[in-house]
Every structure is written in C-alpha cells, then in structure tokens.
Amino acid sequence: MTFHSCPTPPLFPAARAWRRHLAAVWLCGLGMPAWNAQADTPASWLSPGQVYQLALEAQTDADYGRMLALLRQAGNADHLPAQEMLVQVLLAGPALYGRHIAADRCEAATWARRSAAQGSAVGRQQWLFLGRARQAPDGNDACS
C-alpha cells in the first residue's frame, strides 16, 4: 500500500516550468536578501529572540566570537535570556570556551544588573553572587 501526497496546483500555470520554479524559490524566501552567515551582526529586521537563537547556533558550531557578538546584540535589545547567558559566558569563559573567550567579571556584572532590573530571578542571583566576587582583596571595587 502506497500513500501519495496531495497534488498541488502550480503557482503560475501559464508560465514555463523553469519560471514557476524560479517564482516558487523567490516566494519561499530564498530570493530575499538574507543575513550573511559570516557576518558578526545579522540584519536589523531580526528580532532579539532570533538573534539569540543565532547565538545558540554559533555556540553549537564552536564559533564563540560570533556567539559572543550575537549575545551582546540581543542583550543590548533587552533580551533577558541573552543577558543571563552573557553573565555565564563571561564568568566561565576560559573554562568552557578555552582561549576563545576571556573571563570578564565587570562586564558580567553589567549584564547581571541589567537582567535583574528587568525582574529576572536568575539575574538577581547572578548579581548577588557577583557583588561578592567583585570585591578586591583590599576592599575596593575591582571594576572601578
């Protein structure tokens, strides 16, 4: 027993086959100006959530520099998960990503403060933790 897919009417029945195919490709979005996968910043029409997803894909591809740039872009657009992830990435940079990402407690504290200000419980805990870790041994703020 075989199953056949439902036949679909052609998009443009009067056009030649290659023109129909070209029109279908264009209408499906492949002809739209797309984000260059090698660029550090995607097109401005992407939402912060989409930029965050691109950052996760960059992490999967081990493209950590691009991941960090995309996370910062989404974080600057007040995307809460991106801000929370930035804190983790910047705190555990060398432990998780080797020499590709340096640890930066001060920038991590900035992102933790921004996410906590938006009401994030994770950001609040990160901020409390960093409040203790930011104090230099002589009692001065290490980020000043």
Side-chain angles (χ1 to χ4, degrees), residues 36-116:
N36 179 356
Q38 301 302 319
D40 287 334
T41 57
S44 61
W45 46 267
L46 293 179
S47 72
Q50 290 170 320
V51 174
Y52 176 69
Q53 290 301 318
L54 289 173
L56 296 179
E57 288 178 20
Q59 180 184 27
T60 302
D61 294 339
D63 190 354
Y64 302 124
R66 186 167 146 247
M67 174 195 72
L68 192 57
L70 291 167
L71 284 174
R72 284 179 175 136
Q73 181 177 345
N76 281 325
D78 291 331
H79 189 261
L80 203 54
Q83 292 174 344
E84 294 167 350
M85 185 173 171
L86 269 165
V87 176
Q88 296 299 334
V89 168
L90 291 168
L91 281 178
L96 294 176
Y97 306 107
R99 60 173 172 48
H100 302 287
I101 296 179
D104 187 344
R105 294 184 316 202
C106 298
E107 185 182 355
T110 300
W111 292 112
R113 184 174 53 247
R114 284 183 67 175
S115 63

Side-chain angles (χ1 to χ4, degrees), residues 84 87 111-113 115-117 119-128:
E84 294 167 350
V87 176
W111 292 112
R113 184 174 53 247
S115 63
S120 166
V122 172
R124 185 174 183 276
Q125 288 300 320
Q126 291 170 330
W127 176 245
L128 290 173

Side-chain angles (χ1 to χ4, degrees), residues 6-7 27 74 85 92 95 135 141-142:
C6 297
L27 290 175
M85 185 173 171
Q135 297 300 319
D141 187 353

